[in-house]
Amino acid sequence: MTQPPDTLMWEARAQPGRQADLLAHTEQALLPAVLADPTCLDAVVYLGGQDRIVLIAHFTGAPPRLPDPPDDLLQRPVHQWPFRRHSTSRGQVAEPR
């Protein structure tokens, strides 16, 4: 039987030159809401090329769907994917044989 998802990957692409505004919205509105969820274990925000922002959060249960930022910040619709965490590693990954 497949286990339910416990991780959310949220990715948004800002209008050209608006990554800082989208980041501010993410840090001031989305991140506090995610961290306030009692099932949230952690959340990390990443900055990517082409004005992208990615938020990955781990939960003890099913992840919520996050609301979209204001349309004027977005180049295209937000993408959200629920995942099931498979493993966590620290340090070096072994070389393939």
Side-chain angles (χ1 to χ4, degrees):
M1 179 159 87
T2 302
Q3 295 290 324
D6 62 1
T7 302
L8 177 69
M9 181 175 159
W10 177 95
E11 187 258 346
R13 185 171 177 190
Q15 287 284 350
R18 302 283 315 263
Q19 187 181 39
D21 298 325
L22 181 57
L23 178 61
H25 176 80
T26 302
E27 292 179 330
Q28 295 167 12
L30 295 180
L31 191 56
V34 168
L35 294 174
D37 185 316
T39 67
C40 181
L41 299 172
D42 61 43
V44 180
V45 176
Y46 298 88
L47 301 178
Q50 296 182 318
D51 291 324
R52 285 187 170 87
I53 296 182
V54 173
L55 184 147
I56 298 176
H58 299 107
F59 297 84
T60 58
R65 181 160 178 84
L66 300 181
D68 289 346
D71 287 339
D72 65 316
L73 296 177
L74 299 175
Q75 175 75 21
R76 57 157 174 73
V78 170
H79 297 301
Q80 298 188 53
W81 299 274
F83 291 96
R84 177 77 185 171
R85 186 178 355 186
H86 175 70
S87 66
T88 300
S89 302
R90 289 185 172 238
Q92 284 189 304
V93 176
E95 291 291 323
R97 294 178 187 209

